Amino acid sequence: MAESFLPGPGQDLSRLQQDDTQKDCTTTRGKPGDALAEAIRAREARNMAYPEGGRLLGDWKAGQKIFNDGFGYRIGSFIPSNPNAVRGGNCYACHQGEKKEVAFGNLGTSLQSYGKVRGQSEPIVKYTYEKIYNAKVYNACSNMPRLGHKGILSPKQVADLTAYLLDPASPINQ
Ligand code: HEC
């Protein structure tokens, strides 16, 4: 094995092991068919978790920071001596967001004016929270990382992102 592939301090090698859903999506090349897709979504939904107190709309200003933070899965955050290192969502890697931000990826859909277009009804709040927590609950072989499900972001951080996308005062809706 080349030296650069040796585990460094805090590196999470469990990421190299595919879980059942990743295997299903790999073997079907992302096209699982209706029955398997339904089974995947049901399996993924079993691990949905919500913030304490059940408030799915958090603090949009905190959400803005998480959305911007490019350290989506920073290696240092796995160093046991630093278990509280905060991770970001790295959302701009795949999504358009605020108008003033010109550097963004386009693997995901544009999230500009997301809340302005959809409103803040209870089903929209729930969908947005759950989609960010685990995109595969809705789209079995989604290319979006399962940010809450994989413990990259906490339920509180997912609620902050939900508020950032939905709050009328959020810059993403201006
Ligand atoms: C690696 C790329 C990638 C990253 C990083 C990513 N997403 Fe996504 N996202 C996608 C893709 C692809 C889709 C569309 C396919 C789907 O719905 O699963 C999507 C869909 C979504 C949707 C649903 C949009 C709709 O119209 O219903 C939301 C909301 C969303 N992402 C929010 C986020 C947020 C917030 C972050 C950061 C915490 C994020 N995404 C990070 C790839 C990504």
Side-chain angles (χ1 to χ4, degrees), residues 106-124:
N106 59 7
L107 181 62
T109 42
S110 171
L111 297 175
Q112 204 165 83
S113 301
Y114 180 90
K116 208 172 175 175
V117 173
R118 298 187 188 216
Q120 291 83 32
S121 67
E122 207 178 299
I124 290 293

Side-chain angles (χ1 to χ4, degrees), residues 64-162:
Q64 183 185 34
K65 288 203 189 85
I66 301 162
F67 196 97
N68 271 281
D69 189 341
F71 290 96
Y73 216 157
R74 89 175 74 196
I75 287 169
S77 59
F78 288 98
I79 296 175
S81 62
N82 190 14
N84 297 320
V86 175
R87 290 183 280 266
N90 203 15
C91 311
Y92 277 116
C94 298
H95 291 283
Q96 184 171 24
E98 290 181 30
K99 281 199 185 76
K100 70 174 184 352
E101 180 54 71
V102 295
F104 54 84
N106 59 7
L107 181 62
T109 42
S110 171
L111 297 175
Q112 204 165 83
S113 301
Y114 180 90
K116 208 172 175 175
V117 173
R118 298 187 188 216
Q120 291 83 32
S121 67
E122 207 178 299
I124 290 293
V125 172
K126 185 170 183 286
Y127 162 74
T128 305
Y129 177 92
E130 292 182 343
K131 182 75 191 177
I132 301 170
Y133 191 90
N134 185 350
K136 287 180 165 58
V137 168
Y138 289 94
N139 175 4
C141 292
S142 173
N143 285 321
M144 178 162 154
R146 293 168 289 175
L147 296 151
H149 175 81
K150 285 286 180 185
I152 300 166
L153 300 178
S154 68
K156 161 86 175 71
Q157 285 180 301
V158 175
D160 290 344
L161 284 162
T162 304

